[in-house]
Amino acid sequence: DVKVTQSSRYLVKRTGEKVFLECVQDMDHENMFWYRQDPGLGLRLIYFSYDVKMKEKGDIPEGYSVSREKKERFSLILESASTNQTSMYLCASLNSGVRETQYFGPGTRLLVL
Amino acid sequence: GNSVTQMEGPVTLSEEAFLTINCTYTATGYPSLFWYVQYPGEGLQLLLKATKADDKGSNKGFEATYRKETTSFHLEKGSVQVSDSAVYFCALSPLGGTYKYIFGTGTRLKVLA
């Protein structure tokens, strides 16, 4: 059974803290994604990675960075957390090929105080 | 550019009622189309997909038909259950090399017993 796991389900941080969100997939997928989900806005792509050490900006990369040192692991970093980064963060992975399905993790609900 | 528009919720139905959630898209060529479902407190799960015109995706009693002429992929179910209460997302995967999927804003469905 395919699996995408995220390091935390709930996280509370203070403004200005550095925050790490980790995502691991066990499907040997090349592509991994970080989204944030906010009411009324749906899913917005922050960053994605198509290979180890490779990344591309999504639609809302400001305030975030990512790291992909191993194929199975994709980390989202909030360099200095702000209250407007309070959100649900979803990780997904996808195999390269024609019309494949994205598989999602359970999400991390982040609250920045 | 590519976009997905789905009907705003919430949609509230009684158990055993007929469900339609509208989804229309804008894209060049023949994208793949998906419906994902998000149950409370969880990540997104693939519900069904269609990869070419006139394909019908189906799963768990839900169906959607890829209509190229109307650029639509409406989700239907003949008889909803309380357990179908969730948020439903329409999405497309553009033709070509990018794996940047486009998601709709989501439609919340509430089914009352």
Side-chain angles (χ1 to χ4, degrees):
Chain A
D1 205 15
V2 297
K3 205 158 179 98
V4 179
T5 56
Q6 295 184 227
S7 50
S8 306
R9 294 297 301 270
Y10 302 95
L11 213 49
V12 181
K13 295 292 181 181
R14 297 278 178 193
T15 302
E17 279 192 79
K18 191 168 187 175
V19 182
F20 293 87
L21 303 181
E22 286 218 312
C23 175
V24 178
Q25 51 97 359
D26 66 357
M27 295 163 283
D28 203 35
H29 286 171
E30 289 86 0
N31 306 283
M32 296 186 74
F33 305 81
W34 276 107
Y35 297 90
R36 65 177 281 176
Q37 181 182 9
D38 300 289
L41 298 177
L43 271 68
R44 293 181 292 167
L45 182 65
I46 304 171
Y47 267 98
F48 74 101
S49 169
Y50 50 90
D51 203 348
V52 174
K53 296 190 188 295
M54 307 304 287
K55 63 186 179 186
E56 276 197 33
K57 292 180 180 178
D59 301 316
I60 51 163
E62 296 78 20
Y64 303 94
S65 62
V66 291
S67 172
R68 187 140 181 231
E69 297 297 318
K70 294 185 177 181
K71 191 175 186 181
E72 67 270 19
R73 191 179 299 268
F74 191 36
S75 301
L76 179 70
I77 303 151
L78 287 65
E79 297 290 342
S80 177
S82 63
T83 55
N84 63 12
Q85 293 179 309
T86 291
S87 187
M88 168 74 105
Y89 290 88
L90 292 167
C91 175
S93 75
L94 167 73
N95 206 2
S96 294
V98 181
R99 315 309 174 102
E100 291 288 340
T101 300
Q102 284 200 21
Y103 294 91
F104 283 83
T108 295
R109 190 167 291 282
L110 172 66
L111 173 63
V112 182
L113 300 174
Chain B
N2 301 311
S3 66
V4 172
T5 303
Q6 60 182 108
M7 61 190 286
E8 285 194 31
V11 173
T12 303
L13 296 173
S14 298
E15 208 165 22
E16 299 183 3
F18 185 85
L19 168 72
T20 300
I21 300 178
N22 291 337
C23 173
T24 57
Y25 68 91
T26 302
T28 52
Y30 290 85
S32 282
L33 300 172
F34 305 83
W35 277 102
Y36 282 83
V37 59
Q38 184 180 35
Y39 298 104
E42 297 183 13
L44 277 67
Q45 306 173 22
L46 178 69
L47 183 58
L48 53 85
K49 68 178 183 181
T51 58
K52 60 184 188 294
D54 300 323
D55 263 5
K56 178 186 279 189
S58 60
N59 187 24
K60 300 182 182 178
F62 290 89
E63 292 183 342
T65 301
Y66 189 142
R67 301 284 189 203
K68 179 69 176 172
E69 63 277 9
T70 55
T71 61
S72 64
F73 192 55
H74 304 322
L75 183 68
E76 297 182 335
K77 186 175 186 183
S79 176
V80 293
Q81 305 300 312
V82 172
S83 57
D84 294 326
S85 298
V87 181
Y88 293 82
F89 290 90
C90 185
L92 72 81
S93 168
L95 182 70
T98 178
Y99 293 104
K100 290 173 67 173
Y101 284 40
I102 311 299
F103 286 86
T105 53
T107 302
R108 182 174 298 278
L109 169 66
K110 186 172 183 180
V111 181
L112 305 175

